[in-house]
């Protein structure tokens, strides 16, 4: 803490100032804070598990240990990887170069996708139909670009131009590494950038993409094909291993009509170059060091990271990202205790109770809508720690000697696993995060809140800490995920997870008025020179924070400590609650990473998450004696009370 600062002037520095000063961003990171410390702890725990598994030569063929150990051992065999250079992708590049017309081009796009090699042109996945949640449906989305957001192509300020140049350098470097003459490689970079810029111009912004109705466009396959005369979706989907489906969801139909035009207006030779690029960029992190270094140089320009993350850490993350439910089984045996799960279940049920009280006490919502809100709250499914039913990756071949092929096999396996869900009942036991992940999520179509084992540790959660610390940490995280069911987007789904209105018109209007005030509060926060927080993009997360912290405080007040005034380390229970919240968000971030976060991340920066919710809560003012004249003071009538 930095006690020289008044909490009412700068609560972020007051709560965490000394830590922030003493913990600069390490060279291998782009930001450093509580999340990163816990991720560091977890990745080291994972490393230990992986090293043990890789060294265990007596593990039974087909066992979890053997498959995890073989994947990691192959990933760490840099001598073998170095020797191969770019041999693993020669066949792909050769095949792509043979594409001569639109039909061949689309066939290749399907082939790259189904073999796990690349995902060019557009996005595709199989997921629940938002208006018919018991049905899995093929879903097409805008895509085809490489930079993190369409704005990087469309803006020409100095920051964007610098990133565009770094991107073109990256393209040029990868092409020269496969033997393309420098001049041709540079020409390729311009071709690819200009083509992706056209795709970017057809994309909707991230703010528009948050609207679940705007992005819900159900089309028959025949009508989808009519809107894109150059693409017969029925035959293309068959090549993508999707047959017998007559309906699809499209998040941005305009993108596909634009893409349809580009298929003929852009020369096939340019599309050819674009496909080669897709093979190159998807493979670069798994090839020899020259490719890996070029990939890092490009990401450096985006994030400002000083040195490359060590190989063991990248490969540990890759193992988690590729066969996370095999690795997860070994992780939870060592790092997740049954009592942590019990304590979490207790916290969740207390948070649900608190939310119920808060919904019943809302002065801006009618009884009719309250009834529906409570029905939704009581229908929530919590998942804690790890899946009840592990994914076993049957049929995925992993060989200790062939790293690149393992990655490719996993990509292909994952694709087949995804399309195999069509025509089957929705699997409600499935998880969207792996057990070692330091994060949590809410799924509107499943109406579930999910907390992987990775986040259930200090500073978020400590079974031995006092309630103030746990409710201000993991309690607020639980409340945050519940609040996603009631944020500007999640609140449009009903208790069954269906995209369907359950509000009266007046209540919805009042909710939107309050949400707009919250948006304006965050719009006013400055991050870098002229860069502000995007209140619209971050609205869902900011509602999550405000609703979550308010409910966590309500739940904390039900505990014995919450009702006492007993001081610990010189702080009252309420002060400890808010300090616990603040210290979760402490951190340092590189300016480049901060600029990228504002464009791409729906979360507000940590310093504003620290203060954004408390300044709307009377309890915070009382806890720290915040008075008019203090910089963070908001008059009681201006405090935003949502949930």
């Amino acid at each position: 803490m930095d006690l020289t600062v008044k909490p009412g002037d700068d609560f972020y520095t007051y709560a965490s100032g000394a830590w922030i000063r003493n913990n600069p961003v390490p060279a291998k990171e782009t930001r450093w804070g509580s999340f990163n410390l816990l991720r560091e702890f977890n990745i080291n725990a994972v490393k230990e598990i992986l090293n043990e598994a890789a060294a265990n030569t007596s593990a039974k063929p087909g066992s979890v240990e053997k498959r995890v150990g073989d994947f990691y051992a192959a990933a760490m065999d840099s001598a073998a990887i170095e020797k191969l250079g770019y041999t693993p992708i020669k066949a792909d590049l050769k095949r792509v170069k043979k594409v001569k017309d639109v039909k061949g081009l689309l066939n290749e796009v399907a082939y790259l996708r189904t073999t796990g090699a690349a995902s060019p042109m557009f996005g595709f996945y199989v997921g629940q139909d938002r208006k018919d949640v018991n049905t899995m449906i093929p879903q097409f989305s805008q895509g085809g670009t490489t930079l993190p957001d369409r704005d990087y192509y469309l803006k020409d300020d100095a920051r964007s131009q610098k990133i565009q140049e770094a991107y073109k350098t990256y393209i040029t470097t990868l092409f020269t590494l496969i033997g393309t003459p420098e001049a041709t490689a540079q020409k390729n970079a311009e071709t690819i950038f200009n083509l992706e810029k056209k795709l970017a111009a057809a994309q909707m912004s991230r703010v528009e993409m948050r609207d679940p109705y705007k992005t819900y466009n159900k089309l028959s396959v025949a009508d989808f094909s009519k809107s894109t005369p150059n693409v017969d979706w029925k035959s293309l989907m068959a090549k993508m291993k999707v047959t017998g489906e007559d309906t699809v969801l499209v998040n941005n139909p305009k993108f596909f009509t634009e893409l349809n035009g580009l298929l003929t207006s852009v020369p096939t030779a340019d599309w050819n170059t674009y496909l080669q690029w897709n093979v190159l960029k998807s493979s670069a992190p798994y090839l020899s060091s020259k490719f890996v270094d070029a990939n890092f140089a490009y990401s450096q320009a985006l994030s400002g990271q000083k040195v490359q993350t060590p190989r063991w850490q990248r490969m540990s993350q890759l193992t988690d990202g590729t066969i996370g439910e095999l690795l997860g089984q070994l992780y939870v045996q060592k790092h997740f205790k049954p009592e942590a799960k019990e304590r979490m279940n207790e916290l969740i049920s207390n948070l649900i109770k608190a939310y119920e009280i808060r919904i019943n006490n809302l002065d801006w919502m009618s009884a009719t809508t309250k009834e529906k809100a409570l029905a939704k709250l009581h229908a929530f499914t919590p998942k804690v720690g790890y899946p009840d039913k592990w994914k076993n990756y049957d049929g995925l071949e992993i060989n200790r000697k062939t790293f690149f092929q393992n990655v490719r096999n996993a990509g292909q396996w994952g694709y087949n696993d995804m399309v195999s869900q069509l025509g089957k009942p929705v699997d409600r036991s499935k998880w969207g995060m792996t057990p070692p992940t330091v994060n949590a999520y809410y799924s509107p179509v499943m109406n579930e809140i999910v907390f992987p084992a990775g986040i259930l540790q200090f500073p978020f959660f400590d079974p031995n800490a006092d309630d103030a610390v746990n409710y201000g940490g993991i309690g607020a995280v639980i409340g945050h995920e519940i609040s996603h069911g009631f944020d500007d987007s999640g609140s449009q789904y009903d208790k069954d997870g269906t995209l369907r209105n359950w509000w009266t018109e007046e209540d919805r209007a009042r909710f939107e008025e309050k949400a707009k005030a919250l948006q304006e509060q965050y719009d006013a926060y400055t991050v870098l020179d002229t860069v502000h927080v995007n209140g619209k993009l971050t609205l869902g997360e900011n509602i999550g924070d405000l609703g979550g912290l308010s409910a966590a405080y309500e739940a904390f007040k039900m505990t014995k400590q919450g009702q006492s005034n007993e001081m610990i380390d010189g702080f009252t229970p309420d002060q400890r609650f808010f300090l616990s919240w603040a210290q979760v968000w402490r951190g340092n971030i590189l300016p480049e990473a901060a600029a990228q976060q504002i464009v791409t991340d729906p979360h507000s920066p940590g310093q504003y998450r620290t203060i954004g919710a408390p300044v709307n809560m009377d309890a915070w003012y009382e806890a720290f004696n915040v008075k008019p004249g203090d910089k963070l003071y908001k008059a009681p009538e201006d405090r935003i009370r949502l949930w």
Side-chain angles (χ1 to χ4, degrees):
M1 296 177 69
D2 181 347
L3 301 177
T4 64
V5 176
K6 254 174 100 176
D9 282 343
D10 180 355
F11 188 55
Y12 181 62
T13 306
Y14 169 79
S16 304
W19 189 94
I20 292 162
R21 274 197 305 277
N22 296 328
N23 289 274
V25 179
K28 72 181 177 74
E29 303 287 343
T30 58
R31 53 176 78 182
W32 196 245
S34 300
F35 271 88
N36 308 82
L37 277 168
L38 182 43
R39 284 185 180 131
E40 186 85 349
F41 167 82
N42 270 358
I43 204 73
N44 279 302
V46 164
K47 176 191 186 182
E48 202 174 291
I49 291 166
L50 291 171
N51 281 334
E52 264 174 44
N56 181 1
T57 46
S58 58
K60 278 207 287 288
S63 66
V64 170
E65 284 83 352
K66 171 94 175 122
R67 298 168 82 197
V68 168
D70 284 356
F71 186 90
Y72 185 66
M76 290 305 286
D77 188 352
S78 43
I81 295 163
E82 214 51 40
K83 210 150 94 194
L84 283 172
Y86 75 98
T87 309
I89 57 169
K90 281 183 178 168
D92 285 323
L93 293 168
K94 195 173 162 187
R95 199 187 56 256
V96 166
K97 281 181 183 167
K98 289 182 181 156
V99 169
K100 292 286 176 280
D101 53 23
V102 173
K103 186 170 178 246
L105 175 65
L106 292 169
N107 287 348
E108 186 56 40
V109 165
Y111 180 79
L112 290 171
R113 200 175 282 274
T114 56
T115 54
S119 308
M121 273 191 201
F122 53 82
F124 170 72
Y125 64 102
V126 169
Q128 283 165 273
D129 181 336
R130 275 174 269 172
K131 292 191 177 180
D132 178 12
V133 290
N134 293 318
T135 304
M136 301 299 278
I137 188 169
Q139 310 200 23
F140 288 90
S141 58
Q142 63 183 33
T145 47
T146 306
L147 287 164
D149 189 82
R150 66 168 202 164
D151 284 5
Y152 286 111
Y153 295 91
L154 308 177
K155 286 188 167 170
D156 60 358
D157 56 278
R159 202 177 266 125
S160 303
Q161 280 180 351
K162 187 180 151 215
I163 287 167
Q164 289 168 13
E165 284 317 307
Y167 177 43
K168 288 175 190 172
T169 304
Y170 178 40
I171 301 174
T172 307
T173 309
L174 289 196
F175 272 101
T176 54
L177 287 175
I178 59 164
T180 312
E182 179 84 24
T184 313
Q186 283 175 351
K187 193 165 144 273
N188 288 352
E190 290 302 327
T191 299
I192 290 156
F193 182 82
N194 292 332
L195 176 47
E196 289 189 354
K197 187 176 180 176
K198 288 177 178 144
L199 293 170
Q203 293 177 4
M204 290 199 286
S205 71
R206 280 175 192 257
V207 169
E208 291 173 289
M209 293 294 289
R210 292 194 67 246
D211 182 336
Y213 283 97
K214 194 172 190 169
T215 53
Y216 185 93
N217 303 285
K218 199 178 222 177
L219 301 171
S220 71
V221 174
D223 284 346
F224 191 23
S225 297
K226 272 185 205 145
S227 72
T228 58
N230 294 318
V231 189
D232 171 11
W233 288 101
K234 189 175 181 200
S235 73
L236 184 60
M237 280 162 66
K239 294 195 172 75
M240 289 165 63
K241 302 189 176 187
V242 175
T243 50
E245 296 286 327
D246 55 9
T247 315
V248 295
L249 282 176
V250 182
N251 74 354
N252 177 3
K254 174 179 158 270
F255 175 84
F256 288 90
T257 54
E258 294 286 326
L259 173 62
N260 174 70
L262 293 173
L263 287 171
T264 45
S265 66
V266 171
T268 310
D270 290 0
W271 277 114
N272 204 310
T273 306
Y274 168 81
L275 287 187
Q276 288 177 58
W277 167 240
N278 273 269
V279 170
L280 278 169
K281 72 170 183 187
S282 305
S283 311
Y286 319 119
L287 298 171
S288 58
S289 55
K290 285 181 175 162
F291 288 86
V292 175
D293 293 346
N295 177 260
F296 174 66
Y298 158 66
S299 70
Q300 242 183 331
L302 283 168
S303 68
Q305 188 175 332
K306 304 288 184 287
V307 304
Q308 186 150 234
T309 311
R311 183 167 190 95
W312 71 262
Q313 191 171 339
R314 281 180 285 130
M315 294 307 124
S316 298
Q317 283 160 336
L318 180 69
T319 310
D320 183 33
T322 310
I323 45 172
E325 290 200 18
L326 293 180
L327 170 63
Q329 293 175 55
L330 304 177
Y331 175 84
V332 297
Q333 279 168 18
K334 282 197 163 184
H335 297 283
F336 190 60
K337 304 193 173 40
E339 51 270 32
K341 192 165 186 161
E342 276 167 41
R343 182 85 173 91
M344 263 305 278
N345 288 333
E346 181 194 322
L347 280 159
I348 290 168
S349 90
N350 291 349
L351 257 296
I352 299 264
K353 269 184 221 145
Y355 230 94
E356 189 179 299
I357 293 168
R358 295 190 67 80
I359 289 172
N360 278 320
N361 289 339
L362 290 177
D363 58 4
W364 57 269
M365 187 184 269
S366 69
T368 324
T369 309
K370 278 182 185 177
E371 198 182 314
K372 302 266 176 54
L374 290 166
K376 177 168 185 175
L377 178 70
H378 294 141
F380 271 57
T381 303
K383 291 179 177 175
V384 176
Y386 53 89
D388 293 331
K389 186 176 87 191
W390 293 101
K391 195 191 277 192
N392 56 16
Y393 308 88
D394 278 350
L396 169 58
E397 266 186 58
I398 297 171
N399 183 316
R400 206 178 174 92
K401 298 271 178 263
T402 55
F403 169 56
F404 188 88
Q405 197 55 49
N406 291 343
V407 173
R408 197 49 80 77
N409 290 350
Q412 187 163 2
W413 187 93
Y415 184 85
N416 290 336
D417 182 53
M418 175 180 77
V419 294
S420 76
Q421 296 170 48
L422 289 165
K424 289 185 191 158
V426 170
D427 180 359
R428 294 188 173 269
S429 68
K430 220 172 54 183
W431 278 53
M433 284 178 181
T434 66
T437 307
V438 181
N439 211 334
Y441 70 92
Y442 168 74
S443 163
V445 283
M446 292 276 205
N447 197 26
E448 64 181 13
I449 44 175
V450 186
F451 305 95
I455 197 172
L456 304 180
Q457 299 173 61
F458 184 79
F460 297 94
F461 174 64
D462 177 355
N464 305 314
D466 57 306
D467 279 329
V469 170
N470 277 328
Y471 277 90
I474 200 73
V477 173
I478 297 166
H480 173 102
E481 298 310 337
I482 295 173
S483 298
H484 274 313
F486 301 100
D487 72 16
D488 59 317
S489 173
S491 61
Q492 300 185 64
Y493 296 79
D494 69 9
K495 69 178 174 52
D496 305 321
T498 305
L499 184 58
R500 186 188 314 166
N501 181 41
W502 47 272
W503 295 71
T504 66
E505 252 176 75
E506 301 73 26
D507 288 342
R508 189 74 204 176
R510 281 193 284 267
F511 170 78
E512 282 172 0
E513 193 185 320
K514 287 174 173 293
K516 190 167 183 291
L518 195 64
Q519 179 198 318
E520 287 163 359
Q521 175 187 324
Y522 282 83
D523 275 337
Y525 293 142
T526 311
V527 183
L528 287 170
D529 43 69
T530 57
V531 180
H532 281 252
V533 174
N534 181 341
K536 257 196 177 133
L537 177 63
T538 56
L539 183 58
E541 297 298 337
N542 299 334
I543 291 174
D545 283 351
L546 178 54
L549 191 63
S550 303
Y553 181 74
E554 183 93 38
F556 171 55
K557 296 313 274 181
M558 298 176 197
T559 67
K560 199 171 152 204
Q561 185 190 13
Q563 289 164 15
S564 83
N565 285 317
E566 197 183 320
M567 310 268 270
I568 301 179
D569 297 335
F571 294 98
T572 66
D574 277 21
Q575 288 174 332
R576 287 174 70 77
F577 170 86
F578 285 108
L579 287 169
S580 174
W581 163 258
Q583 292 181 350
V584 160
W585 301 116
R586 65 189 180 193
N588 285 304
I589 184 167
L590 301 175
E592 297 89 340
Q596 185 184 346
Q597 182 190 5
I598 288 301
V599 179
T600 60
D601 193 341
H603 300 85
S604 296
Q607 72 205 83
Y608 296 122
R609 295 189 75 171
T610 303
I611 60 169
V615 297
N616 291 303
M617 293 172 64
D618 301 344
W620 176 75
Y621 288 82
E622 286 158 28
F624 294 98
N625 195 23
V626 179
K627 295 272 188 279
D630 291 347
K631 288 179 189 159
L632 294 176
Y633 182 83
K634 268 178 120 171
E637 63 274 15
D638 295 333
R639 294 171 200 168
I640 302 157
R641 293 169 174 85
L642 254 165
W643 291 107

